[in-house]
Amino acid sequence: MMILKNIWNHRRTNAWIFIELVLVAIISWSIIDPVAVGLSDLNMPTGYDNDHMLVVDVVSYPKTAPSYDSTAVTPERRYADICNLMMKLRNHPDISFVTINLNNSMIGGGTRTVVCPGTENLAADTIRKRSFEFYYFKGTDFFQTYGIESVEGSPTVEELSDRYVPMWQEAVVTKAFAELYWPGENPMGKRLMEGINQATGDTVFSTVVGVVGDVRHIPVSRSYTQVFRTLDDAWLKEGGRSDFYLIARAREGKDIRELKDEITSWARKELKAGNYHVRTVRTYDELIERTAGMYGAIGQLRLSYVLAGFFLINLILGVIGTFWLQTRKRIPEMGIRRAFGAARGSLIAMLVKENLLLATGGCLLGFLIYWQYAFHNGLANGDETNLEQNVVDNWIGSFGEHFLIVSLIVYGVIAVCVIVGTLIPAMAVSRVQIVDAIRSKE
């Protein structure tokens, strides 16, 4: 009650400070929101163990190159050379698993399409959320290479990697996908609607034969609902491949950056077959960063950092300066209170509590005003590609949770500024001699 009375006694000054805090809360919200979302997206778990992975970029010699082998261009020879390269890399003493990606070096880099899968669960089908399909080749240790684990009740990842059935007959789904379409049910044996057979007019279904842990394929994706299907080796044979990616998992205990240098030196000498040779070797973490940059996520986030840093520094300095001056003006009052026996510690605590209460009120009003804007215009959603993807169990997609989390961050920043702007001058004021404090003209 005493704190409220003190705030009222200085209502003229506090009114302007309160208005300033409301404006600071609104501006800080608009600045911090996109930064918080961007950081959350880039730091979401990938769902696979990328810390021990290498990406080997394999290309072919052009016809004009001195090392070009004109006898190594048939589909059969190209396929044999690809298998040879995979075997060589898998047999390296520091490599445990190897898989192959075709058009894209990220996870599931074969043909990739966006689908709206239909299921036999009509209630879930009304959601019609999008999911990504990825393809892998039988016998290439796909799941083991990425470190993806199967869930309880599903075949092991070794069994799933070796299993092959024509792609439109069976599918492996992530746990998030299963929970979205068959909540609380065992997804094994459930069916996905693939389309209509044009010849017979019948609906074509594939059967879920495995469930693996949640993964996301690119750094800007917020979706864990994925479908994996096997490809026939004919995709490697037909037409021939002029370039592709080998994804390798290092053995435990190896420093991945040191191993990258070792593998690079070794691969340029030994990892050759026909016209295929190694162009680059990168860690998977480097690949993730590069891919994020290609999608503009890194650039946008860095720009947000710069803008947010510039505005926040000015706002922080303004808030600190305001409370610093306000505290200094109360030197005479503090001298009188000390003359009547008030302890220094209690005076400091009183000033901090008053200003924190003022800041809390200002933030609450500022948040309420911003809520009116956000309710009609939406909150930050990160990279625009996320608008086409599922947000599964993520605070960004929940308006209430999103607003609460960012509000707490903004309040925390403002509260720290208020405490710093009050505590430092308050400690200095408390050390002023009582007579000097009463005589002060601050």
Side-chain angles (χ1 to χ4, degrees):
M1 195 65 184
M2 181 62 69
I3 294 176
L4 293 175
K5 184 177 180 180
N6 289 338
I7 292 176
W8 178 254
N9 290 337
H10 298 86
R11 54 188 176 275
R12 290 188 177 181
T13 302
N14 287 339
W16 289 108
I17 294 177
F18 185 81
I19 294 173
E20 178 184 338
L21 287 168
V22 171
L23 294 175
V24 168
I26 294 173
I27 296 172
S28 298
W29 224 107
S30 64
I31 293 172
I32 291 176
D33 188 23
V35 175
V37 170
L39 284 172
S40 175
D41 282 345
L42 289 180
N43 289 283
M44 278 180 63
T46 59
Y48 50 86
D49 184 9
N50 48 281
D51 294 333
H52 299 86
M53 294 165 61
L54 293 173
V55 181
V56 181
D57 185 2
V58 179
V59 296
S60 297
Y61 289 117
K63 292 182 179 181
T64 56
S67 301
Y68 180 76
D69 183 357
S70 59
T71 66
V73 295
T74 64
E76 293 77 12
R77 175 62 188 278
R78 285 176 181 262
Y79 176 69
D81 289 339
I82 291 173
C83 294
N84 187 13
L85 289 174
M86 292 183 65
M87 186 60 66
K88 283 184 178 180
L89 185 57
R90 186 180 288 115
N91 289 335
H92 189 282
D94 294 324
I95 299 297
S96 56
F97 297 107
V98 174
T99 192
I100 182 172
N101 281 354
L102 298 183
N103 302 327
N104 189 312
S105 51
M106 295 299 289
I107 187 170
T111 304
R112 188 184 73 213
T113 57
V114 180
V115 295
C116 290
T119 72
E120 293 179 310
N121 185 339
L122 296 181
D125 280 349
T126 60
I127 301 173
R128 305 303 293 172
K129 290 191 175 183
R130 295 191 176 190
S131 301
F132 278 93
E133 282 189 339
F134 302 104
Y135 305 105
Y136 63 95
F137 292 95
K138 169 183 175 289
T140 61
D141 301 329
F142 176 81
F143 294 105
Q144 301 98 302
T145 301
Y146 280 97
I148 300 172
E149 299 291 341
S150 61
V151 303
E152 185 178 356
S154 169
T156 65
V157 289
E158 291 78 11
E159 292 171 332
L160 294 176
S161 291
D162 289 336
R163 186 184 187 108
Y164 175 72
V165 172
M167 72 171 69
W168 304 119
Q169 294 183 24
E170 293 188 354
V172 177
V173 301
T174 58
K175 183 179 179 182
F177 185 100
E179 291 177 349
L180 176 65
Y181 285 96
W182 306 287
E185 300 181 48
N186 182 359
M188 296 295 293
K190 297 293 185 180
R191 300 200 300 172
L192 296 177
M193 185 179 69
E194 304 295 349
I196 305 298
N197 187 317
Q198 297 299 321
T200 64
D202 295 331
T203 302
V204 178
F205 288 94
S206 63
T207 303
V208 175
V209 297
V211 183
V212 296
D214 295 337
V215 298
R216 64 189 186 114
H217 67 292
I218 54 176
V220 296
S221 171
R222 203 178 297 144
S223 174
Y224 285 126
T225 56
Q226 324 291 2
V227 180
F228 298 95
R229 306 184 191 276
T230 54
L231 285 177
D232 188 272
D233 289 347
W235 286 77
L236 289 176
K237 297 176 183 177
E238 295 175 1
R241 301 297 310 180
S242 60
D243 57 0
F244 53 90
Y245 301 91
L246 295 179
I247 313 298
R249 170 161 296 283
R251 296 192 182 278
E252 294 295 329
K254 295 296 297 184
D255 182 277
I256 196 65
R257 294 194 175 275
E258 292 182 3
L259 181 60
K260 183 192 80 167
D261 296 334
E262 295 175 14
I263 293 294
T264 299
S265 178
W266 170 82
R268 287 176 176 167
K269 296 177 182 178
E270 305 294 336
L271 203 57
K272 298 178 181 179
N275 289 316
Y276 292 123
H277 64 285
V278 173
R279 178 164 56 188
T280 59
V281 178
R282 286 172 291 185
T283 67
Y284 208 86
D285 286 337
E286 291 173 334
L287 174 64
I288 290 176
E289 184 175 352
R290 175 175 175 268
T291 305
M294 290 173 59
Y295 279 87
I298 297 295
Q300 288 182 356
L301 191 57
R302 286 174 178 169
L303 178 60
S304 298
Y305 283 159
V306 173
L307 294 176
F310 174 78
F311 285 108
L312 284 177
I313 287 174
N314 283 278
L315 288 173
I316 289 170
L317 291 177
V319 172
I320 291 176
T322 296
F323 282 94
W324 191 297
L325 292 174
Q326 169 67 2
T327 303
R328 294 287 301 180
K329 287 181 179 179
R330 296 179 66 177
I331 291 179
E333 176 190 342
M334 296 301 104
I336 294 173
R337 289 180 179 273
R338 285 182 59 197
F340 280 90
R344 293 179 178 179
S346 64
L347 294 177
I348 295 174
M350 180 191 71
L351 291 173
V352 172
K353 290 177 181 178
E354 285 180 16
N355 291 338
L356 269 180
L357 184 60
L358 198 63
T360 301
C363 285
L364 289 176
L365 180 56
F367 296 161
L368 180 61
I369 294 172
Y370 195 87
W371 183 87
Q372 301 295 325
Y373 165 81
F375 185 79
H376 293 92
N377 296 277
L379 301 170
N381 195 60
D383 189 88
E384 62 181 0
T385 59
N386 286 320
L387 298 176
E388 299 181 350
Q389 300 178 33
N390 297 329
V391 178
V392 181
D393 293 330
N394 189 285
W395 65 272
I396 296 172
S398 170
F399 184 91
E401 190 176 358
H402 186 155
F403 195 86
L404 177 61
I405 289 174
V406 178
S407 294
L408 289 175
I409 295 173
V410 173
Y411 177 73
V413 171
I414 294 177
V416 169
C417 295
V418 170
I419 291 173
V420 171
T422 304
L423 193 59
I424 296 177
M427 293 176 65
V429 168
S430 68
R431 289 192 291 267
V432 176
Q433 296 297 319
I434 295 177
V435 175
D436 294 336
I438 295 174
R439 292 175 177 177
S440 175
K441 295 181 181 181
E442 290 280 356

